[in-house]
Amino acid sequence: MEVRNAAPEAVNILRKFGVNHNLSSKDITRFWGDIEAPTRISETRIFHDFSIGAFSYVSGGFLYHTHIGRYSSLSNGLHIGQGNHPVDWLSTHPFQYQPGIFDLHTDYEFKEQYDADRFNHVKNAVLDRPKPTYIGNDCWIAHGVYIKNGVTIGDGAVVGARSVVTKDIPPYAMAVGSPAKVIKYRFDDLLVERLLRLQWWRFAPWQLRELDLSHPSRALDGLEDLIAEGLEEYRPERLSVVKRGAPKAEPAP
């Protein structure tokens, strides 16, 4: 299913598709990419390419060039994936490569000149596009985390509150601090290997409900039995939010 991000009906289409959100029409015009249902997006500003998998939620913050897997829990106060300002140009200000960043009232004294400059070619001012940031499946990103653009948070990882993530976090690692450092892993190596191999997030909650979820190794034993019996993956339709002339969202690794 596809919807233009500038379409006036986009707000309701997202809700009917299974996205529990409080995004405005203007919010939706700022991003494009693929969404699986169900998911929840609350108090969040999203910019540029974006994707989110089923059963994940974001509770608040700013997301730039961000791609999120399934069953991930993102708290509030987040700042993820924003690019940097140039520090070796004439100025650090975006006027150099992004003219027309202010919405000005008609009474502004120099509005005519400002609006004309909005469409000027920006000479010799090409800023490198920020690299996408990837958050895997079953990740927990706690309150107030900052994640640098281009970082990958591995499946099953946990990032503690107020952490500053500048480097990749391995699968099932628990990282805290500024800069964030791995302090331990959620499980031993053998169990992590099984989790990554079976990828339990391929399935919906109702398919996993009979497993002993509080005991991971027994849960995986039961999941292996279900897969052997022919358990089918959860494959919902995806909603593609499309921006005319913009690149399609990059798939998660």
Side-chain angles (χ1 to χ4, degrees):
M1 183 178 177
E2 183 177 290
V3 60
R4 292 280 175 188
N5 64 358
E9 67 272 19
V11 168
N12 288 329
I13 289 176
L14 262 66
R15 290 196 178 113
K16 291 178 180 179
F17 183 77
V19 182
N20 180 200
H21 73 88
N22 61 356
L23 299 168
S24 68
S25 297
K26 187 174 182 179
D27 291 333
I28 296 172
T29 64
R30 296 187 174 106
F31 70 88
W32 59 89
D34 292 339
I35 297 174
E36 282 187 334
T39 191
R40 187 178 79 235
I41 302 171
S42 307
E43 310 301 334
T44 303
R45 301 282 293 278
I46 305 169
F47 301 86
H48 314 300
D49 51 297
F50 170 74
S51 64
I52 187 168
F55 313 109
S56 289
Y57 64 86
V58 185
S59 298
F62 294 82
L63 277 59
Y64 303 79
H65 308 285
T66 300
H67 301 271
I68 304 164
R70 290 183 174 183
Y71 289 97
S72 281
S73 306
L74 278 68
S75 187
N76 54 16
L78 306 178
H79 204 111
I80 300 175
Q82 187 172 18
N84 296 320
H85 289 226
V87 296
D88 54 354
W89 291 18
L90 174 68
S91 171
T92 60
H93 195 280
F95 88 89
Q96 301 169 110
Y97 51 88
Q98 187 181 352
I101 63 174
F102 301 104
D103 293 325
L104 299 172
H105 192 272
T106 54
D107 290 342
Y108 171 56
E109 180 181 4
F110 297 100
K111 189 173 191 315
E112 182 178 346
Q113 294 95 319
Y114 184 85
D115 287 346
D117 183 60
R118 185 189 299 268
F119 303 104
N120 279 346
H121 173 66
V122 183
K123 298 178 181 178
N124 303 319
V126 179
L127 197 66
D128 291 338
R129 182 174 179 269
K131 297 178 181 178
T133 301
Y134 296 104
I135 297 173
N137 305 281
D138 186 34
C139 293
W140 175 21
I141 311 299
H143 170 76
V145 169
Y146 169 86
I147 301 177
K148 184 179 181 292
N149 71 83
V151 164
T152 294
I153 309 295
D155 295 327
V158 175
V159 180
R162 300 291 186 183
S163 295
V164 175
V165 183
T166 60
K167 297 180 180 179
D168 292 354
I169 303 297
Y172 287 93
M174 302 182 71
V176 298
S178 178
K181 296 181 180 179
V182 174
I183 56 171
K184 66 177 182 178
Y185 287 81
R186 290 175 57 191
F187 307 113
D188 62 48
D189 291 347
L190 290 177
L191 185 52
V192 168
E193 187 279 328
R194 288 187 73 196
L195 287 159
L196 295 176
R197 175 168 51 84
L198 288 174
Q199 299 181 354
W200 64 263
W201 46 83
R202 293 178 294 153
F203 307 98
W206 53 88
Q207 296 175 291
L208 306 172
R209 195 61 67 193
E210 299 303 317
L211 302 177
D212 185 356
L213 300 176
S214 64
H215 196 292
S217 61
R218 284 204 291 264
L220 294 183
D221 291 341
L223 181 57
E224 287 180 327
D225 292 340
L226 291 175
I227 293 173
E229 293 169 4
L231 182 66
E232 295 185 359
E233 296 182 18
Y234 176 69
R235 294 179 178 175
E237 180 184 10
R238 290 192 172 194
L239 177 66
S240 291
V241 180
V242 179
K243 178 181 179 182
R244 189 181 301 276
K248 190 174 177 61
E250 300 178 31

